[in-house]
Amino acid sequence: PAYIDKSASIKTIAKRLVNTKAFNNGQTCIAPDYLLVHESVLDPLLHELKATIEAFFGKDLSKSPSYGRVVNERHWDRITRLMDPADHGGEVLTGGLEKAVREDRFIPFTLILNPRLDSTVMQEEIFGAVLPIISVRSEEEAREIILAREKPLALYVFASQQA
């Protein structure tokens, strides 16, 4: 996971997150599985994430020579299962299940706002360009969400102020 503090540099973070999550279509062990974002910077971050995705890959990611594909159809099936709105209950802000193309192994960069914490996308390692985003009121709330799950491979904290 990654925690985005209210003191974070939003433009810089958006670029780093999109780059990390889109690299090899998110099929890396170091890509964050979800974001915990302080509510005071949620809207600016969402705006920057969307703008950065478009700046990096254009309006139609499926036509971008810089945007990767998942390794095989079995992995495509697994990721699209995680993207099912009936399961996660969140708001799909970009991408989404209806834009995924199995024959091309294309998974669009998908931002999911406030999925249910007990949903599959929040319980499994994603290993794809799907990014759940949870709005939190405090650093403590973010900490509680992280500690309620299995120990992550990596944890990122984005803040300008030191704790």
Side-chain angles (χ1 to χ4, degrees), residues 70-141:
V70 295
V71 67
N72 58 38
E73 286 81 10
R74 193 181 99 221
H75 191 54
W76 186 95
D77 292 341
R78 191 186 75 73
I79 294 174
T80 55
R81 180 178 49 82
L82 299 176
M83 295 167 66
D84 184 355
D87 180 57
H88 64 68
E91 180 184 354
V92 176
L93 303 175
T94 63
L97 190 54
E98 68 281 350
K99 294 181 182 173
V101 180
R102 190 173 197 270
E103 301 76 43
D104 190 28
R105 299 181 333 272
F106 173 72
I107 299 286
F109 200 118
T110 301
L111 301 176
I112 303 170
L113 181 61
N114 291 322
R116 287 189 308 274
L117 294 178
D118 64 348
S119 64
T120 309
V121 75
M122 290 299 296
Q123 300 297 320
E124 291 186 16
E125 200 172 338
I126 296 171
F127 222 59
V130 175
L131 188 57
I133 302 168
I134 308 293
S135 176
V136 295
R137 290 180 297 281
S138 67
E139 185 179 316
E140 182 58 34
E141 183 182 1

Side-chain angles (χ1 to χ4, degrees), residues 1-132:
Y3 171 63
I4 315 303
D5 184 68
K6 60 186 172 187
S7 70
S9 172
I10 299 302
K11 277 189 181 249
T12 301
I13 290 165
K15 289 178 184 172
R16 289 179 182 167
L17 288 169
V18 170
N19 187 46
T20 302
K21 203 64 176 164
F23 179 76
N24 198 34
N25 204 258
Q27 298 167 104
T28 63
C29 292
I30 59 167
D33 277 331
Y34 58 93
L35 302 182
L36 298 165
V37 182
H38 191 278
E39 63 187 4
S40 67
V41 294
L42 179 65
D43 288 339
L45 179 65
L46 296 177
H47 172 77
E48 284 301 321
L49 286 170
K50 292 175 193 177
T52 302
I53 292 167
E54 186 174 324
F56 282 10
F57 305 109
K59 287 191 183 293
D60 186 352
L61 277 69
S62 68
K63 293 183 175 30
S64 173
S66 299
Y67 191 77
R69 301 299 189 260
V70 295
V71 67
N72 58 38
E73 286 81 10
R74 193 181 99 221
H75 191 54
W76 186 95
D77 292 341
R78 191 186 75 73
I79 294 174
T80 55
R81 180 178 49 82
L82 299 176
M83 295 167 66
D84 184 355
D87 180 57
H88 64 68
E91 180 184 354
V92 176
L93 303 175
T94 63
L97 190 54
E98 68 281 350
K99 294 181 182 173
V101 180
R102 190 173 197 270
E103 301 76 43
D104 190 28
R105 299 181 333 272
F106 173 72
I107 299 286
F109 200 118
T110 301
L111 301 176
I112 303 170
L113 181 61
N114 291 322
R116 287 189 308 274
L117 294 178
D118 64 348
S119 64
T120 309
V121 75
M122 290 299 296
Q123 300 297 320
E124 291 186 16
E125 200 172 338
I126 296 171
F127 222 59
V130 175
L131 188 57

